[in-house]
């Protein structure tokens, strides 16, 4: 059978339609696979003539490597038809996918097969393309879902096209709800923020942008990367950087705190340095600052001539004590201000503590220095307004060195000159001179030797009696310290007590004398009315531990406290800071208190009443003035005063009989002095007034009383 011949059962027209004009390739084959006929389309698709196809048979057309053929032929044999896609071979050896449908029929008695096929290579390619696209999209989506960033895709019309799971979770929205929605309508919080600005900019310019901002709505700090999309719209990747931001902020906070702490430490350091070199009250340099400053000046001008002005406010203690420390501070500050204004810009000005000021004048002539000192005194004469108008003068000591000099030495010299200025009447300027030099050297020597004296046993105590003027018997002894210097012999207290007070050695000396006096008083136990008086320096009195130590010493010696008295100078009372409390405590224990050198200081009656005073000692200068009207009036006044406060009066320094008579007539209770007895070793203590000084004896009174008393005392002595 050929294709031109229609099977007898088939009408000719149908044969043509199915076969000759069919758009698919059609082959008629025998059961064993020989080609019996092929239409034009089959020849075209396979690239062969019908004759070639007839000769080739099935094996020349199908791709024999394709196993499915066999299964297809078996299916067809079993079910009569089959459809599938197989690869067919062209004449040039290339193959193409073809959808093949085949069915068997009988041509008369002969089994035949009808095979129709069409090239599906384009459909297959399309399907493959679709599949690949789908796969790629799935991959993209996969990766968008697997990244840790949030992702939002927006199209050219600002409609959201995609939002990944991270973004859903973090923004609290669901994909179905937002995809397709206008981003500005759905997230209005973005409007007017850097988000909107950047999105629009990327969409407009087509350039990528990165920024970091907080999406307040979700309290989300994010780092956003915005990419333009080729087809319009943008892709936004966000990363939650809240933690990093928090860490950065924390770090920033710590850094700021650390910077602040460092700044505070530096400030404190500067403060400390300033405080170490400056006086807090006046803002001037202190001693250390002054030394530093002078070193600095000398480093720049090694040949500079230095002149030191040592300045001290006259009677400042009085201002402080009577008007209070507040007023005292005002006076000091005001004076410091005036002093600084007078000094040159290169002249260091310092307060050395208390009311001592020092100015170092750099490269000034002696005349200039003296003029400066006079100006300082002049400035101090201007009253200070402290509620009232206060007048405080100053004294100035000057010292200079023509060549290079050590500041230490100049300071010492100026200080010595200042002492002289004070000694000789205050509100004065005094230049240091050689005599002062000798004195100051001697002071240094005394200090050194005194330390030795205390370590060894060079100090001794002499005792001077005072006698009751009515019965002319001993009633007091005063302990007076002496120093048996190995080279200089016996040195009096006037010479070394001031040095001891300047250097603080007075505490050790005072303790030593007290111990000796208490010991000695114990040996005089047989003279029960006898009180031993010990001189106590003002410095000892400001020591709050002093009463307790004294009490312990008395306890140890087993001495009744009323056998001891202490003598304090008027000036010690003027320094009232704590002194009254110390005196009260001792007085409460029974220790008697005497005001020494009365009349030479500044105590007023009012002042005296504040202190527990048992005895007033009239200074010897008044005693020596007796015989003049003024002298007698003064002593009479002191006696009246003493009576007013219930104190006894002892006159000191009695050297003549008229003095003794006058004192007796003025009602003075007791007296001491060279006329009666010089200070001596304890074993030489006289118990009665010497005969030549005895009033009773001179008055022709029977001396029995004195003698009887004297004898009985001598016996027990
Ligand atoms: P003061 O307390 O006024 O002692 C009296 C001074 O007058 C003593 O001098 C004494 O020897 C002296 N004197 C006694 N009678 C006469 C006299 O008729 N005419 C003259 N011109 N002088 C007489 P001294 O022993 O040289 O003591 C001087 C000062 O040293 C004492 O003056 C006292 O303030 C102080 N002093 C003495 N011993 C001590 C002590 O142990 N501690 C302290 N802190 N100061 C003491
Ligand atoms: Ca005394
Ligand atoms: Ca005295």
């Amino acid at each position: 059978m050929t294709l031109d011949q229609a099977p007898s059962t088939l009408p000719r027209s149908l044969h043509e339609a199915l076969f000759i004009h069919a758009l698919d390739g059609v082959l008629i084959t025998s059961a064993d696979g020989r080609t019996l006929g092929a239409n034009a389309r089959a020849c075209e698709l396979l690239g062969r003539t019908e004759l070639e196809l007839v000769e080739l048979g099935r094996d020349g057309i199908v791709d024999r490597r394709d196993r499915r053929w066999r299964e297809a032929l078996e299916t067809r044999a079993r079910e009569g038809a089959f459809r599938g896609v197989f690869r067919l071979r062209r004449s040039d050896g290339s193959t193409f996918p073809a959808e093949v449908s085949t069915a068997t029929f009988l041509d008369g008695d002969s089994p035949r097969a009808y095979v129709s096929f069409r090239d599906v290579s384009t459909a297959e390619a399309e399907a493959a393309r679709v599949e690949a696209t789908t796969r790629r999209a799935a991959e993209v989506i996969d990766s968008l879902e697997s990244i840790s960033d949030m992702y939002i895709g927006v199209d050219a019309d600002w409609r959201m096209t995609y939002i990944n799971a991270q973004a859903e979770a973090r923004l609290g929205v669901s994909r179905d709800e937002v995809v397709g929605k206008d981003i500005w309508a759905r997230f209005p919080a973005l409007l007017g923020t850097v988000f909107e600005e950047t999105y629009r900019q990327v969409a407009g310019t087509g350039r990528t942008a990165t920024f970091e901002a907080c999406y307040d709505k979700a309290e989300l700090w994010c780092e956003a990367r915005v990419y333009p999309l080729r087809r319009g719209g943008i892709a936004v990747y966000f990363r939650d950087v809240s933690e990093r931001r928090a860490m950065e902020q924390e770090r920033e906070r710590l850094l700021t705190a650390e910077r602040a702490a460092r700044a505070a430490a530096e400030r404190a350091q500067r403060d400390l340095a300033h405080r170490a070199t400056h006086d807090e009250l006046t803002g001037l340099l202190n001693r250390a600052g002054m030394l530093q400053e002078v070193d600095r000046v000398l480093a720049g001008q090694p040949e500079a001539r230095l002149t030191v002005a040592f300045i001290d406010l006259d009677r400042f203690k009085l201002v402080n004590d009577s008007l209070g420390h507040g007023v005292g501070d005002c006076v000091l500050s005001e004076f410091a201000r005036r002093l600084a204004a007078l000094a040159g810009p290169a002249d260091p000005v310092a307060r050395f503590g208390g009311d001592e000021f020092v100015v170092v004048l750099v490269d000034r002539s002696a005349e200039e220095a003296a003029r400066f000192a006079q100006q300082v005194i002049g400035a101090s004469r201007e009253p200070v307004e402290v509620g009232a108008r206060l007048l405080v003068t100053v004294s100035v000591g000057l010292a200079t060195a023509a060549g290079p000099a050590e500041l230490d030495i100049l300071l010492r010299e100026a200080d010595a000159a200042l002492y002289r200025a004070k000694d000789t009447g205050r509100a004065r300027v005094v230049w240091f001179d050689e005599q002062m030099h000798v004195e100051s050297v001697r002071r240094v020597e005394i200090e050194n030797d005194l330390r030795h004296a205390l370590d060894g046993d060079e100090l001794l105590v002499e005792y001077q009696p005072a006698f009751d003027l009515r019965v002319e018997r001993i009633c007091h002894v005063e302990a007076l310290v002496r120093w048996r210097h190995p080279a200089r012999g016996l040195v009096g207290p006037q010479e070394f007590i001031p040095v001891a007070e300047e250097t603080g050695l007075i505490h050790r000396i005072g303790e030593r004398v007290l111990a000796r006096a208490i010991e000695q008083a114990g040996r005089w136990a047989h003279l029960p009315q006898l009180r031993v008086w010990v001189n106590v320096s003002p410095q000892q009195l400001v020591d709050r531990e002093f009463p307790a130590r004294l009490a312990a010493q008395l306890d140890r010696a087993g001495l009744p406290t009323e056998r001891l008295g202490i003598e304090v100078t008027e000036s010690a009372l003027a320094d009232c800071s704590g002194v009254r409390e110390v005196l009260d405590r001792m007085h409460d224990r029974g220790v008697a208190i005497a005001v020494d050198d009365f009349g030479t200081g500044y105590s007023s009656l009012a002042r005296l009443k504040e202190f527990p005073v048992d005895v007033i000692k009239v200074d010897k200068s008044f005693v020596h003035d007796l015989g003049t009207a003024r002298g007698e009036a003064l002593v009479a006044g002191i006696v009246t005063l003493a009576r007013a406060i219930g104190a006894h009066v002892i006159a000191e320094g009695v050297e003549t009989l008229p003095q003794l008579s006058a004192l007796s007539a003025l009602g003075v209770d007791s007296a001491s002095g060279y006329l009666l007895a010089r200070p001596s070793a304890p074993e030489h203590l006289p118990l009665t007034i010497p005969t030549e000084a005895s009033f009773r004896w001179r008055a022709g009174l029977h001396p029995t009383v004195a003698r009887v008393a004297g004898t009985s005392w001598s016996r027990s002595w």
Side-chain angles (χ1 to χ4, degrees), residues 32 51 119 161 203 294 404 421 424 426 428 435 491 495 500 655:
D32 57 358
L51 202 62
D119 184 347
T161 52
V294 170
T424 50
R426 301 193 163 92
R428 300 188 55 210
Q435 177 56 32
V491 181
E495 232 177 305
E655 293 178 352

Side-chain angles (χ1 to χ4, degrees), residues 478 535 567 596 617 652:
E478 179 175 5
N535 293 285
E567 298 190 7
D596 204 356
K617 295 188 85 174
E652 285 190 309

